[in-house]
Amino acid sequence: MIRRIHLPTLSVMATLAILGGTVLAGSVMAAQGPGPGGMRGHAPGGPGGAGGPGGRGAGMALGALDLTEAQREQVRQLTQQHRAQTRALAERVRAAEEAQREAMEASPFNEQQVRVAAQAFAEAQTDMAVQQARLRSDIHALLTPDQQQQLERMQAEREARQNERRERMQQRRQGQQNP
């Protein structure tokens, strides 16, 4: 009997890559603020709103930091510069995951092939994480010390909320297991 190893699926990885791009794009949109026509129908959960891309739920809630026009332009430029690299890396992650899946499903089993494919997948994921961290760092460097402190406070608050949710979910699971 073939035993499947639970690894992130292609859809999860693609979602993460898209989410990363969406968070960055949402951050830029939020940093830009409403255009001449206002929010154009976006509700609080939409772009730049609470819980939407660029809002409190985003990786970097730039919309809440009152960026200057110069900072907004610099953020736009940085995101554009990183966009092509991020797309290329996302494709590399997708292809590496597909190669790993194929190696794992191959018959007969070839341990070396699985190891090489898994290593390539891990390297692609690592490169993507480095790229995303580099962009975050570049954007963080554009912020004033006050904005950096405010961002760090918001991130700490978000992390605390996530931990609380995680604990509640764990308690529910334990309650279901111990009726």
Side-chain angles (χ1 to χ4, degrees):
M1 179 174 183
I2 296 176
R3 195 167 180 209
R4 290 195 162 225
I5 300 172
H6 295 285
L7 296 173
T9 63
L10 177 60
S11 63
V12 171
M13 292 308 300
T15 301
L16 288 175
I18 291 168
L19 180 61
T22 302
V23 166
L24 292 174
S27 295
V28 171
M29 288 172 55
Q32 293 172 355
M39 285 300 288
R40 295 194 179 120
H42 288 294
R56 286 183 298 192
M60 292 185 79
L62 299 176
L65 297 179
D66 194 29
L67 298 179
T68 66
E69 185 56 41
Q71 286 174 312
R72 288 184 204 133
E73 182 57 34
Q74 289 173 315
V75 168
R76 269 192 293 271
Q77 290 173 359
L78 282 172
T79 355
Q80 288 174 354
Q81 291 169 0
H82 285 261
R83 188 172 292 132
Q85 293 169 324
T86 301
R87 284 183 184 151
L89 284 170
E91 175 55 30
R92 191 170 136 219
V93 168
R94 188 206 59 74
E97 183 181 28
E98 177 66 17
Q100 176 180 298
R101 185 191 58 73
E102 289 173 3
M104 291 174 58
E105 293 175 356
S107 185
F109 169 71
N110 182 331
E111 181 176 345
Q112 183 62 26
Q113 185 180 15
V114 172
R115 286 182 180 278
V116 167
Q119 182 65 35
F121 182 43
E123 287 176 14
Q125 288 179 309
T126 301
D127 290 345
M128 177 64 88
V130 168
Q131 172 69 9
Q132 291 171 344
R134 182 177 289 124
L135 177 57
R136 286 182 55 87
S137 176
D138 290 347
I139 291 173
H140 194 267
L142 298 174
L143 303 176
T144 66
D146 287 343
Q147 289 170 328
Q148 290 174 356
Q149 287 178 345
Q150 184 181 356
L151 180 62
E152 289 164 12
R153 276 194 306 274
M154 290 186 307
Q155 289 171 337
E157 291 168 1
R158 184 186 69 219
E159 188 173 325
R161 287 190 305 272
Q162 289 173 338
N163 288 337
E164 289 172 11
R165 279 192 293 269
R166 196 174 301 121
E167 288 174 17
R168 285 193 305 266
M169 289 297 291
Q170 192 172 26
Q171 289 171 353
R172 282 188 209 138
R173 282 189 214 117
Q174 288 174 349
Q176 292 174 352
Q177 292 174 354
N178 303 322

